[in-house]
Amino acid sequence: MTMIEYPPKPSPGDRIAVISPSSGLPGLFPLPYELGLERLRKEFGLEPVEYPATRRMGSTPAERAADIHAAFADPEIKAVIASIGGDDQITVLPLLDRELIRANPKPFFGLSDNTNLLAYLRNTGIVGYHGASVMVELGRPVAMHPQTADSLRAALFTSGPYELRPAERFNDVNRDWADPATFEAEPSMRTGAGWSWVNAGRVVEGRTWGGCLEILAWLLMADREIARDPAEYDGGVLLLETSEELPSATEVFRTLRNMGERGLLGRFSALLMARPKTWSFERPNSPEEGERYAAQQREAVLRAMRVYAPEATIVFDVDFGHTDPQVVVPYGGTVRVDGPARRITVTY
């Protein structure tokens, strides 16, 4: 079994690496990116340090791997955060120096395509942090969501238990980052329905694995950063979220079915399923259409879990995915899912 440890935490005043392990979108959309950097400085007291590929679209996997190595190797850098996600980080993984990173453990924050690096770090023995990109969460118009900011602050600077709570209001509709008017008003929020629990009669506490479902499917196809011994995941807590690509319920079911056939799904004692993103620029669903999409995804998940993990505790609509607010969840760290009390506590 891999020994997984929490890396040392930064303190206000420390330097934090800002890298683009996937897409160099900061170069195309400077407004949310610069806003995110400003908040790192003013609201979190950290000094962001950029690397050669951070603002460059079309950087090679080797250039991005070099940035990762430089960030982890520099003793003055106390944490690393991704600018945003993308869709080809899997090509960076073979170029990484596992021993260099293992010798210099640091907290890494990211989600979506950064599932690749989070899975890599877990297999290297380092707890990562699923959530909080510079452009999206830190670059939110007008102000960070208070739940997002509180969670990120706790994950950055503290160690120990942190209780998650359902968002009373949420948003998953984006506005144009190229339009300065986007940043003149906060996102429009709508009422949330809280978490939904299945098989909630017990308490589960275990280490997490998972991430963005689409990226996990790619890792499974490439047979990359998946534990050779499925027992590595026994008793763990599976984290799953879906992206702005809005995968169909059929695709979600088939991915989970394949995980089940591989012997992975039944290893986990609990599943935290993030609130799905239901809107994109390509598919601008109405609220009613979005609710149908979310319901279809929920049924697809239940259909697979009934076959491959019928006793697992499941919590739907946890706020750690592609929606606002977004809480940070430790990746490879410990999560306690208390069904009878309807409480989720992460350990930062």
Side-chain angles (χ1 to χ4, degrees), residues 6-7 57 70 80 123 154 162 232 234 279 300 321 338 345 347:
Y6 285 85
M57 287 294 294
V80 183
N123 288 338
Y162 180 91
E232 176 81 25
D234 282 356
W279 184 100
D338 187 336
T345 304
T347 298

Side-chain angles (χ1 to χ4, degrees), residues 132-159:
S133 66
V134 174
M135 295 182 70
V136 182
E137 289 73 39
L138 281 151
R140 183 179 186 265
V142 180
M144 290 185 70
H145 192 287
Q147 277 184 268
T148 305
D150 188 73
S151 171
L152 176 57
R153 186 169 285 106
L156 273 167
F157 300 128
T158 70
S159 299

